[in-house]
Amino acid sequence: MLNYIKQQPGFKQHQDLLFDFYGERNYRLAWFRHNELVPETQNFLQAVNNASKEGLDPKKYKAVDFEKLFKQYKEMDPQDAGRQKLQQKIDIALTGSYFNYASDFYRGRVNPQNANAVDWNVKKNHINLDKALQTILKERESTYPYYEFEALHAGYVRLRDKLQEYRQLETKGGWPKIELGSKKMLQQGDTAAAVLALRKRLNPDLQVNTNDKQLRMFDAKLVQQVKHFQMLNGLDQDGVVGGNTLQELNVPIDERIRQIVINMERWRWIPKRLVPKSLDQKYIWVNIPEYKLYVYEDPNNDPEAERSYKKVMEMPVIVGKTMHSTPIFSDKMEYVVMAPYWNLPNSIVEHEIKPHMLSNPGWLETQNMEIVTKEKDPKPVSPSSINWADVTEKNFQYMVRQKPGQKNALGTIKFLFPNQYAVYLHDTPADQLFSQTQRDFSHGCVRLGRPVDLTKYVLKDMPEWDEEHIRETMNGGEETWVTLPKKVQVYIVYFTAWVDENGETHFRDDIYGHDKKLEQQYFAKQ
């Protein structure tokens, strides 16, 4: 048995796991009972045959010809000494193939912790493949649907279902390209051949009579359909086809299919348990390309009910600009800080504060900023005592901070989940930026459209913090820290394609280029 494992190159990736799996069971076979293959064998092979539905390649998980081996085993005389060796080979091949498939299906084909591949530092999805296999073989119980060869998250399942729809549409020729010719845009009242293509693009199942002049009219119904498309793609909802709207309409269907597949991959990286058992079953979800924050909670607060979370809040957010991209990670919120100081990172001191101070020594005061020592009880430092010409990010020994107030860059509230990036959620005085559809303006932190509502939510178990007290404190001019009674799970993620609870597909721009990197890694491994 050991020699056979070593001789199979198709199982090399999980060779150690194979040795451990069989060693722990004293080399007892896993897929045979009374010298017959268990029924779960066909369930597994069917899952492998259907791997393309998961955006995976079935051929990758067929290291041996199982049908040939099964036939050979069935035809051998039970007394044949070689039958036992063949039985062992079949068992190991099934186990090795399962580890190959389950690793990709549950953990992902691309390692998200590989910084050269993707930028993703969300808590790792830990799946014990040997334990999952024991669940499949009914040797142990589990709350996860391993025995069904099913996905762990509803977001993945919805994307998978949509993938099948898009592939079916692709086999029918996809959707038409909209050619405007000399026109710059299409809008209500226009009559043109391009309107017919637009109508077919937005209604793929529509049987079009090309002689029907009414179908060439850009009418009010078509305006509403264009606005709906714009909403699903994060565009200005003006009902006019041109510019970005035309560009998104003309993205080929094969590109959308690849986009769906790589976003399914991201779901495989999300922890199987969204919230640790020790916490209240709620979490904050920030999707960077969508410029949105959501709060989900399980009304029953049941840590075993992974799919029962309901959306209880959403709000627009502002994320980091490309050169100061918001990192992708997960952590736990611990504090709410009202009337906060803004402690500027040294990178901003060098690149933004220094030029102002060299041209205007009194500039800090105009911004309600001060310089203090870096200690528990900070002491003021005179700006004139600093040789600004020599200041760098590495040698600046003090802290520049903006005092609490309405003009503070953090607004009047911030939410802390201590992390290596010094990134957090916060209010902003620049409310006008929320009117933009693309909101990548920050230095990396996430600015909130409704910070008071989020404050009320995370402090709802502390009756003394009603809305009146919150507003008084946030506008009081004195920094106040509130420790949450229980930490709250926070995810800052990057999904450019998803399907909502109503079954509608959303797409967003790859604002940081992460899709491009992941696509190269994912499809290179096929």
Side-chain angles (χ1 to χ4, degrees):
M1 179 179 283
L2 297 179
N3 288 334
Y4 181 72
I5 293 175
K6 293 178 181 178
Q7 292 167 3
Q8 295 301 309
F11 308 141
K12 184 177 180 180
Q13 181 183 359
H14 299 106
Q15 192 176 92
D16 290 344
L17 187 55
L18 276 163
F19 285 136
D20 291 344
F21 176 74
Y22 281 106
E24 288 178 5
R25 59 195 296 120
N26 294 318
Y27 301 97
R28 178 170 51 88
L29 299 182
W31 298 85
F32 285 87
R33 298 286 185 277
H34 308 297
N35 294 320
E36 295 289 336
L37 285 164
V38 297
E40 289 73 24
T41 305
Q42 289 304 320
N43 294 341
F44 166 58
L45 294 178
Q46 183 177 357
V48 169
N49 288 332
N50 292 331
S52 60
K53 292 183 178 180
E54 315 293 342
L56 302 171
D57 182 0
K59 296 191 295 293
K60 182 179 182 293
Y61 312 108
K62 297 179 180 179
V64 300
D65 186 340
F66 283 111
E67 294 304 321
K68 181 179 178 180
L69 290 178
F70 294 164
K71 184 174 184 294
Q72 183 181 350
Y73 178 77
K74 188 174 182 180
E75 292 175 350
M76 289 183 75
D77 188 310
Q79 305 304 317
D80 191 326
R83 196 170 190 254
Q84 184 178 3
K85 288 187 177 181
L86 180 58
Q87 192 181 47
Q88 291 177 352
K89 289 180 180 181
I90 292 173
D91 203 90
I92 293 168
L94 284 167
T95 302
S97 296
Y98 172 77
F99 288 156
N100 288 346
Y101 173 76
S103 178
D104 287 357
F105 179 59
Y106 287 119
R107 295 173 173 172
R109 288 176 52 75
V110 177
N111 181 358
Q113 270 65 48
N114 182 349
N116 294 323
V118 288
D119 180 6
W120 186 279
N121 288 295
V122 172
K123 181 182 177 183
K124 192 173 182 180
N125 183 15
H126 290 287
I127 301 287
N128 294 321
L129 299 181
D130 54 339
K131 301 300 183 185
L133 179 53
Q134 289 175 2
T135 302
I136 289 168
L137 297 172
K138 298 181 179 178
E139 296 178 353
R140 67 187 290 271
E141 294 184 358
S142 173
T143 57
Y144 297 101
Y146 300 128
Y147 56 88
E148 297 174 349
F149 298 98
E150 186 52 276
L152 302 177
H153 298 295
Y156 176 97
V157 173
R158 291 196 293 264
L159 271 176
R160 181 182 62 190
D161 293 344
K162 194 60 64 173
L163 174 64
Q164 312 319 312
E165 291 182 27
Y166 273 56
R167 282 177 169 168
Q168 290 174 9
L169 183 57
E170 184 182 33
T171 63
K172 297 176 183 177
W175 46 64
K177 185 175 182 180
I178 301 165
E179 305 277 5
L180 297 188
S182 60
K183 292 177 67 67
K184 291 185 177 180
M185 63 179 64
L186 286 177
Q187 55 190 340
Q188 187 170 0
D190 285 346
T191 303
V195 175
L196 192 63
L198 173 63
R199 197 178 297 277
K200 182 63 176 174
R201 168 66 179 86
L202 297 175
N203 302 274
D205 296 326
L206 180 67
Q207 298 298 315
V208 173
N209 180 356
T210 56
N211 296 320
D212 187 344
K213 294 183 179 179
Q214 190 62 34
L215 294 179
R216 296 172 179 261
M217 170 64 71
F218 199 137
D219 55 19
K221 181 178 180 180
L222 193 54
V223 169
Q224 293 306 311
Q225 289 184 333
V226 170
K227 287 183 176 180
H228 186 68
F229 174 87
Q230 291 170 329
M231 181 274 292
L232 293 176
N233 288 269
L235 303 168
D236 287 327
Q237 298 173 46
D238 57 8
V240 176
V241 174
N244 291 334
T245 298
L246 180 63
Q247 180 177 319
E248 294 301 312
L249 284 164
N250 283 335
V251 172
I253 192 167
D254 63 319
E255 287 189 24
R256 289 306 191 200
I257 287 173
R258 290 166 77 89
Q259 190 174 358
I260 288 172
V261 168
I262 62 173
N263 280 277
M264 288 168 62
E265 174 77 351
R266 289 188 174 113
W267 271 110
R268 297 181 185 120
W269 301 340
I270 297 294
K272 62 181 180 181
R273 185 177 296 284
L274 286 165
V275 183
K277 288 183 177 181
S278 59
L279 301 184
D280 287 340
Q281 297 304 296
K282 64 180 72 166
Y283 64 92
I284 294 168
W285 181 272
V286 177
N287 186 18
I288 296 169
E290 188 185 4
Y291 310 111
K292 273 285 191 74
L293 175 148
Y294 298 92
V295 178
Y296 292 90
E297 67 177 30
D298 173 16
N300 301 315
N301 199 34
D302 180 3
E304 301 300 335
E306 288 294 310
R307 296 194 182 186
S308 62
Y309 290 103
K310 303 296 182 184
K311 181 170 63 180
V312 296
M313 185 184 301
E314 66 178 84
M315 69 182 68
V317 301
I318 292 168
V319 300
K321 59 190 77 172
T322 302
M323 63 185 298
H324 298 291
S325 59
T326 298
I328 302 163
F329 69 104
S330 60
D331 219 304
K332 299 175 183 64
M333 183 184 294
E334 299 183 41
Y335 311 101
V336 176
V337 184
M338 302 182 209
Y341 282 98
W342 176 33
N343 301 318
L344 281 68
N346 279 7
S347 58
I348 293 180
V349 173
E350 177 183 358
H351 298 293
E352 299 183 30
I353 303 301
K354 173 181 172 179
H356 285 294
M357 295 303 293
L358 289 173
S359 61
N360 177 11
W363 184 82
L364 281 178
E365 188 175 350
T366 68
Q367 303 301 307
N368 199 31
M369 293 182 180
E370 62 182 358
I371 303 176
V372 296
T373 55
K374 289 183 177 179
E375 51 189 339
K376 188 174 181 180
D377 185 17
K379 297 177 177 59
V381 175
S382 172
S384 62
S385 67
I386 297 171
N387 183 354
W388 289 99
D390 293 338
V391 166
T392 68
E393 178 179 348
K394 292 184 178 180
N395 69 17
F396 190 68
Q397 301 297 314
Y398 306 111
M399 180 166 60
V400 177
R401 65 182 186 180
Q402 191 172 37
K403 300 174 185 177
Q406 293 296 329
K407 294 183 179 181
N408 187 288
L410 305 184
T412 55
I413 305 175
K414 68 178 178 180
F415 304 81
L416 297 183
F417 34 103
N419 57 81
Q420 61 180 311
Y421 309 102
V423 161
Y424 39 87
L425 313 179
H426 66 84
D427 182 19
T428 175
D431 289 339
Q432 71 279 4
L433 295 177
F434 287 104
S435 64
Q436 304 292 318
T437 53
Q438 291 191 315
R439 297 186 293 274
D440 47 338
F441 303 116
S442 83
H443 281 89
C445 287
V446 178
R447 305 177 190 173
L448 304 176
R450 291 169 26 226
V452 174
D453 287 349
L454 186 59
T455 306
K456 288 161 57 180
Y457 178 82
V458 299
L459 298 182
K460 65 182 180 180
D461 293 330
M462 303 175 73
E464 67 273 23
W465 286 106
D466 57 18
E467 183 170 351
E468 182 180 0
H469 189 192
I470 290 170
R471 291 190 178 278
E472 285 179 357
T473 306
M474 60 189 261
N475 295 311
E478 182 177 344
E479 186 175 77
T480 302
W481 286 55
V482 182
T483 301
L484 300 183
K486 270 194 176 181
K487 298 176 183 179
V488 178
Q489 183 67 53
V490 177
Y491 289 97
I492 300 182
V493 295
Y494 194 94
F495 284 89
T496 60
W498 68 94
V499 179
D500 63 27
E501 293 84 352
N502 298 318
E504 297 204 281
T505 314
H506 298 250
F507 295 104
R508 290 296 186 275
D509 286 343
D510 180 21
I511 59 175
Y512 295 158
H514 294 329
D515 273 14
K516 186 176 181 180
K517 289 181 181 179
L518 177 54
E519 187 174 346
Q520 290 171 347
Q521 291 284 322
Y522 187 91
F523 291 104
K525 293 171 70 71
Q526 290 281 27

